[in-house]
């Protein structure tokens, strides 16, 4: 809503602090670092809305559809290539997790077509085409030589990869990324950077490879438990689609985390905690006269404790 208001009124600033000139038509998502993060949050919420719209009372399904359209508009307004990709992957994930055989087949065909398109055009041309579609001003900046197609991320991630290999046992400590990055940076694209624009690599730099690996193991176990819960919920399609929506949200946030730093923002990390926890709660085994089984708690808890 903030983005829509600013876009239509040409607001000179949001809360008097954004500093965006009135002549700039790109909307600014006030609560976040930039419009990429506003678009990413909208994209991450779409899968849950799809899950609500897919099954349930008519009123809830209509509300879910309205939210899908509203949040997709937010993604479009953000002008973020990453948000568009996250929207696509999150939507595909919820349909793969909750849909029937025909739905899954159609989604897989669509994903295969996108992959073939990327292979035929090449990643650089795909980035340019996507930029022309959602952020035309980026192409002008690339043509003028101000930025490259990755807006400096390629050089940043190359340097961070070298840094991660150098400090892999224990890392440089929480919050130490920016200082360590200054030692290895090879490009002036990012003068200072408190974030690696890849949450997984930044975790490896700050906390070391063993702790990061434990987090990855916990994430994989979470996905296994939730997929098993979806398979068991055949008689409860509403439960099944809610879990599928949570899977899609986590997939969208994970996609954004590969090119940005959503887990360093309270809004995005809280959304991850809520959806991942909700999916676990919905996926638990339930039986008359029995307590919920606890193996998933142990299997998820051990790597999480090791990571801490």
């Amino acid at each position: 809503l903030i983005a829509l208001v600013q876009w239509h009124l040409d607001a000179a600033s949001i809360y008097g602090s954004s500093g965006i000139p009135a002549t700039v038509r790109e909307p600014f998502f006030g609560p976040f670092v930039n419009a990429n993060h506003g678009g990413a949050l909208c994209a991450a919420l779409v899968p849950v809305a799809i899950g609500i719209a897919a099954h349930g009372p008519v009123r809830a399904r209509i509300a879910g559809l309205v939210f899908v359209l509203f949040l997709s508009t937010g993604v479009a307004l953000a002008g973020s290539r990453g948000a568009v990709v996250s929207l696509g992957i999150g939507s595909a994930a919820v349909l793969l997790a909750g849909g029937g055989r025909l739905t899954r087949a159609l989604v897989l065909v669509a994903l295969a077509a996108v992959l073939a398109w990327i292979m035929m055009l090449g990643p650089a041309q795909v980035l340019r085409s996507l930029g022309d579609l959602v952020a035309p001003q980026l192409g002008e900046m690339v043509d003028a030589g101000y930025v490259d197609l990755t807006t400096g991320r390629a050089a940043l991630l190359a340097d961070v990869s070298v840094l991660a290999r150098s400090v892999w046992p224990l890392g440089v400590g929480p919050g130490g990324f920016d200082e360590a990055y200054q030692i290895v940076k090879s490009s002036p694209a990012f003068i200072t950077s408190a974030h690696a624009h890849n949450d997984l690599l930044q975790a490896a730099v700050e906390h070391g490879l063993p702790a990061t690996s434990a987090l990855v193991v916990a994430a994989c176990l979470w996905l296994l438990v939730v997929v098993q819960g979806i398979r068991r919920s055949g008689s409860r399609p509403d439960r099944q689609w809610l879990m599928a929506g949570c899977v899609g949200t986590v997939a969208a946030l994970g996609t954004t985390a590969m090119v940005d730093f959503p887990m360093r923002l309270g809004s995005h990390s809280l959304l991850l905690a809520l959806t991942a926890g909700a999916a676990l709660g919905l996926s638990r085994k339930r039986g008359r006269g029995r307590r919920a089984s606890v193996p998933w708690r142990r299997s998820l808890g051990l790597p999480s404790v090791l990571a801490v």
Side-chain angles (χ1 to χ4, degrees), residues 26 36 79-82 124 126-153:
E26 179 184 356
N36 290 334
S80 169
R81 295 173 297 177
V126 170
L127 277 177
R128 182 59 187 259
S129 299
L130 188 58
D132 291 341
L133 179 64
V134 302
Q137 70 277 10
L138 179 61
E140 298 173 3
M141 295 173 65
V142 171
D143 293 337
Y146 294 126
V147 295
D148 61 7
L149 282 172
T150 66
T151 59
R153 281 174 171 79

Side-chain angles (χ1 to χ4, degrees), residues 28-293:
F28 181 83
F29 287 73
F32 307 112
V33 176
N34 56 41
N36 290 334
H37 302 122
L41 190 67
C42 289
L45 286 165
V46 167
V48 174
I50 292 176
I52 294 172
H55 191 275
V58 175
R59 183 181 299 178
R61 297 181 73 173
I62 293 174
L65 182 59
V66 169
F67 279 119
V68 169
L69 297 175
F70 185 72
L71 293 164
S72 298
T73 301
V75 174
L77 283 174
S80 169
R81 295 173 297 177
V84 172
V85 175
S86 296
L87 173 63
I89 292 181
S91 300
V94 63
L95 294 174
L96 286 173
R101 291 183 178 179
L102 178 60
T103 300
R104 289 197 293 268
L106 292 174
V107 172
L108 290 174
V109 169
L111 290 175
V114 171
L115 182 60
W117 175 60
I118 294 174
M119 293 178 63
M120 285 189 298
L121 294 182
Q125 184 58 43
V126 170
L127 277 177
R128 182 59 187 259
S129 299
L130 188 58
D132 291 341
L133 179 64
V134 302
Q137 70 277 10
L138 179 61
E140 298 173 3
M141 295 173 65
V142 171
D143 293 337
Y146 294 126
V147 295
D148 61 7
L149 282 172
T150 66
T151 59
R153 281 174 171 79
L156 174 65
L157 294 181
D159 293 339
V160 173
S161 299
V162 173
L163 180 58
R165 291 195 297 269
S166 302
V167 298
W168 71 267
L170 295 176
V172 298
F177 173 81
D178 186 28
E179 187 174 354
Y181 170 67
Q182 301 305 316
I183 301 172
V184 300
K185 73 184 185 75
S186 60
S187 169
F190 288 91
I191 299 174
T192 60
S193 180
H195 306 291
H197 289 70
N198 183 304
D199 273 327
L200 201 59
L201 276 177
Q202 183 162 348
V205 169
E206 292 192 347
H207 308 295
L209 183 60
T212 305
S213 300
L215 290 174
V216 172
V217 170
C220 293
L221 289 171
W222 172 87
L223 181 60
L224 176 63
V225 170
V226 174
V227 169
Q228 290 174 345
I230 291 175
R231 291 176 177 174
R232 287 195 300 267
S233 61
S235 60
R236 290 288 305 274
D238 55 338
R239 195 183 186 98
Q240 175 181 333
W241 277 105
L242 279 175
M243 282 188 282
C246 292
V247 170
T249 292
V250 173
L253 288 171
T255 301
T256 303
M258 294 297 101
V259 293
D260 220 310
F261 46 93
M263 296 304 100
R264 309 282 160 167
L265 303 173
S267 50
H268 298 61
S269 56
L270 178 60
L271 177 61
L272 176 66
L274 289 172
T275 49
L280 280 179
L282 289 168
S283 66
R284 67 180 183 175
K285 295 179 181 178
R286 304 181 69 180
R288 186 177 180 84
R290 294 188 305 158
R291 295 185 64 185
S293 61

